[in-house]
Amino acid sequence: MCALQGTNKKEERPRRRATLYDNVSQQFGQAADLMELDPDIRRILAKTANEIVVHFPVKMDDGRVEMFTGYRVQHNNVLGPFKGGLRYHPSVEIDEVRALATWMTWKSALTDIPLGGAKGGIQIDPLKYSPREIEHITRRFTFALGDNIGPEYDIPAPDVNTNAQIMAWILDTYLSMMPAHERNRSTHVVTGKPVESGGSVGREKATGQGVVYIIERWAKDHGFLLNRATYTVQGFGNVGSWAARLLKPHGAKLIAAEDVGGALFNENGIDPDDLANYVKKQGNVGGYPHAKAIAHETFMSTKADIFIPAALENQINAETAPWLNVKLVAEGANGPTDPEGDAILRRKGIELIPDILCNAGGVIVSYFEWLQNKRSESWELEEVDSRLHKKIIQAYEKVRSTAKAYETDWRTAAYIVALTRLATVYKERGIFP
Ligand code: NAD
């Protein structure tokens, strides 16, 4: 269990580098102070419900046995089953997973879906393992989690370095551990599955699609012409590449992109579909022939209308925020801007659409997948997209009016919308016993 620290804490603590969880705590405290959140509710939401750490052995291709550490943090399930992605990355550790789980609670509450918040992952560099080893690690992790996940209890999904194939292995392992007669009604134990294995059409692109719906709406509100806009994207994986590819039909021009392989620039525009095909073959953007390689600082300083961070956390911070030369930051990643970065962007007059709103398309369509599995239905792409559009724009409008009512920034406003919903439910239900 871990407590969020509100900004109104007075005691002196020794200086240390802020962790990701400190950032969530600061954001939470700021909104709770401004909306005068009931202190009882504040205490409840300041704790994660469960924190599961598993250590498990896996036999490698060469016969050696390696030990792995996996995490699942379940923050809150008052609105519905715990829900959130699984990340495979060397940086995965308890503080990071705690922060990501907490953001999921706010995201589900903000977008008005009947799900709670969780996150998990394994501390590994997936590039060091063969596909067969990744399969075995995934299956053994699922086995180690056991009853801590379940279709009506806690539902994982893809995140950084995980995908539909990994969800299919989790599904298969989970179902193999169930009595035969329960298997067919348990396929909603994970979302983001391949369509043939019970996934939803439109789920793979859903987060990027949501980012684009939000940018479109922001542009409309500001009388801003997307067909003349330039933009940059950090992270060209699921979220970043789909956001870029889906912005293409609007006529917006991608002029710079960055991922683990380096950064690229082309003032005449980079074709997102061509770059996505290149990344599929080569693994990252490094060496892409139709743009020139640039340094990280040059990438972050690129003058453009929109910047979409879609990689990892804390990319916009005290050092890098001063470099930004854009009108809008649309957060595709979770936690890409730390509180110092936020303050600098506000001072510079750069608008920001916060992660829990901007990247909520993924969890919204995961909810649709979960519903389709429960009802044995499969919806058409137009239905998925139009329902996603409706949900994410409703959340956008709530955040916009809340920001106005409280005269605050959009991140704090998004928190206020989410916390208001959670507080209402706690008040209605009361506390057992
Ligand atoms: P992904 O693994 O598909 O892609 C991650 C990208 O980030 C890759 O292009 C990688 O090269 C790049 N990257 C990693 N480290 C980097 C660094 N130091 N500098 C620059 N680029 C770097 O992951 P994803 O699913 O696209 O997730 C990206 C972000 O979006 C994460 O913050 C994730 O939590 C968030 N998110 C994902 C979803 C989803 O549905 N997949 C939903 C909501 C939020």
Side-chain angles (χ1 to χ4, degrees):
M1 321 292 140
C2 187
L4 291 162
Q5 309 292 327
T7 49
N8 59 354
K9 281 210 116 191
K10 299 268 181 336
E11 69 260 34
E12 289 283 324
R13 281 189 283 155
R15 292 273 297 169
R16 65 169 171 81
R17 209 181 142 82
T19 68
L20 198 61
Y21 194 68
D22 292 332
N23 295 352
V24 186
S25 307
Q26 200 173 324
Q27 295 167 351
F28 171 74
Q30 208 163 308
D33 286 348
L34 184 62
M35 70 189 286
E36 296 177 1
L37 183 65
D38 180 317
D40 288 342
I41 310 290
R42 187 168 176 148
R43 268 190 294 278
I44 296 168
L45 293 175
K47 301 246 186 204
T48 57
N50 307 301
E51 298 187 349
I52 301 131
V53 182
V54 292
H55 304 286
F56 54 94
V58 180
K59 196 182 264 188
M60 300 288 102
D61 289 347
D62 63 5
R64 258 179 330 109
V65 170
E66 222 178 283
M67 285 300 290
F68 294 87
T69 302
Y71 301 88
R72 188 72 180 166
V73 173
Q74 297 161 336
H75 174 254
N76 188 283
N77 65 348
V78 73
L79 300 177
F82 297 114
K83 182 87 189 84
L86 290 177
R87 179 176 290 196
Y88 288 2
H89 196 272
S91 75
V92 170
E93 42 76 45
I94 194 72
D95 180 274
E96 181 186 80
V97 183
R98 226 175 245 154
L100 292 164
T102 308
W103 275 316
M104 288 306 297
T105 302
W106 311 149
K107 210 180 289 184
S108 300
L110 167 63
T111 52
D112 206 12
I113 54 178
L115 295 170
K119 203 82 177 195
I122 309 178
Q123 192 183 73
I124 47 165
D125 178 354
L127 290 177
K128 291 190 179 151
Y129 299 93
S130 70
R132 189 173 167 275
E133 287 170 334
I134 292 288
E135 177 179 351
H136 288 178
I137 293 164
T138 299
R139 288 185 182 277
R140 192 61 203 236
F141 179 42
T142 310
F143 178 76
L145 286 174
D147 286 346
N148 290 300
I149 59 168
E152 301 295 331
Y153 180 64
D154 183 354
I155 306 127
D159 193 75
V160 174
N161 292 330
T162 58
N163 54 25
Q165 173 61 76
I166 288 177
M167 297 306 116
W169 289 329
I170 295 175
L171 172 71
D172 186 67
T173 310
Y174 183 83
L175 296 186
S176 303
M177 298 190 299
M178 306 214 54
H181 58 274
E182 283 183 32
R183 287 181 194 152
N184 281 335
R185 54 185 168 89
S186 304
T187 53
H188 49 306
V189 63
V190 278
T191 57
K193 301 179 286 286
V195 174
E196 302 77 6
S197 295
S200 176
V201 290
R203 173 60 186 90
E204 197 201 316
K205 66 163 181 146
T207 308
Q209 181 71 77
V211 171
V212 171
Y213 285 153
I214 292 273
I215 290 176
E216 240 186 304
R217 184 50 195 259
W218 178 88
K220 194 173 161 206
D221 280 358
H222 289 74
F224 181 83
L225 295 175
L226 273 185
N227 61 5
R228 292 206 202 132
T230 53
Y231 67 101
T232 63
V233 177
Q234 185 190 46
F236 218 73
N238 175 289
V239 179
S241 72
W242 273 111
R245 289 156 76 183
L246 294 164
L247 270 173
K248 184 175 154 181
H250 293 276
K253 191 159 75 178
L254 173 67
I255 55 168
E258 182 183 52
D259 75 358
V260 282
L264 306 168
F265 176 78
N266 185 339
E267 64 182 338
N268 298 318
I270 299 167
D271 178 357
D273 289 306
D274 191 52
L275 184 58
N277 284 336
Y278 179 85
V279 170
K280 210 169 177 183
K281 285 189 214 124
Q282 304 294 328
N284 59 57
V285 305
Y288 180 66
H290 307 299
K292 70 171 182 198
I294 52 171
H296 175 62
E297 182 173 345
T298 315
F299 169 78
M300 294 296 282
S301 315
T302 304
K303 183 174 175 0
D305 295 307
I306 303 164
F307 173 39
I308 305 171
L312 296 178
E313 305 86 42
N314 293 341
Q315 296 298 307
I316 304 173
N317 50 41
E319 185 194 357
T320 60
W323 299 340
L324 259 61
N325 192 358
V326 295
K327 297 188 177 85
L328 173 71
V329 172
E331 293 188 330
N334 286 307
T337 313
D338 75 7
E340 287 177 311
D342 255 338
I344 294 167
L345 296 190
R346 278 200 293 277
R347 279 204 295 279
K348 290 176 70 157
I350 295 177
E351 295 202 20
L352 181 142
I353 301 176
D355 46 10
I356 59 170
L357 170 62
C358 198
N359 71 31
V363 75
I364 292 172
V365 178
S366 271
Y367 163 56
F368 296 159
E369 179 175 332
W370 184 70
L371 264 189
Q372 289 171 72
N373 292 162
K374 274 161 80 88
R375 297 175 179 172
S376 300
E377 290 178 0
S378 66
W379 303 350
E380 303 284 328
L381 182 60
E382 285 119 49
E383 181 168 3
V384 172
D385 281 349
S386 78
R387 286 183 185 232
L388 164 62
H389 186 266
K390 191 171 171 195
K391 273 249 166 262
I392 206 160
I393 295 302
Q394 274 169 350
Y396 174 98
E397 284 170 354
K398 272 191 223 154
V399 174
R400 188 183 55 193
S401 59
T402 306
K404 212 168 176 188
Y406 282 87
E407 295 178 355
T408 191
D409 61 277
W410 277 48
R411 190 184 311 284
T412 307
Y415 269 64
I416 292 174
V417 176
L419 296 175
T420 303
R421 178 164 176 231
L422 287 155
T424 304
V425 173
Y426 270 111
K427 280 194 185 133
E428 284 168 1
R429 285 175 50 168
I431 301 298
F432 172 83

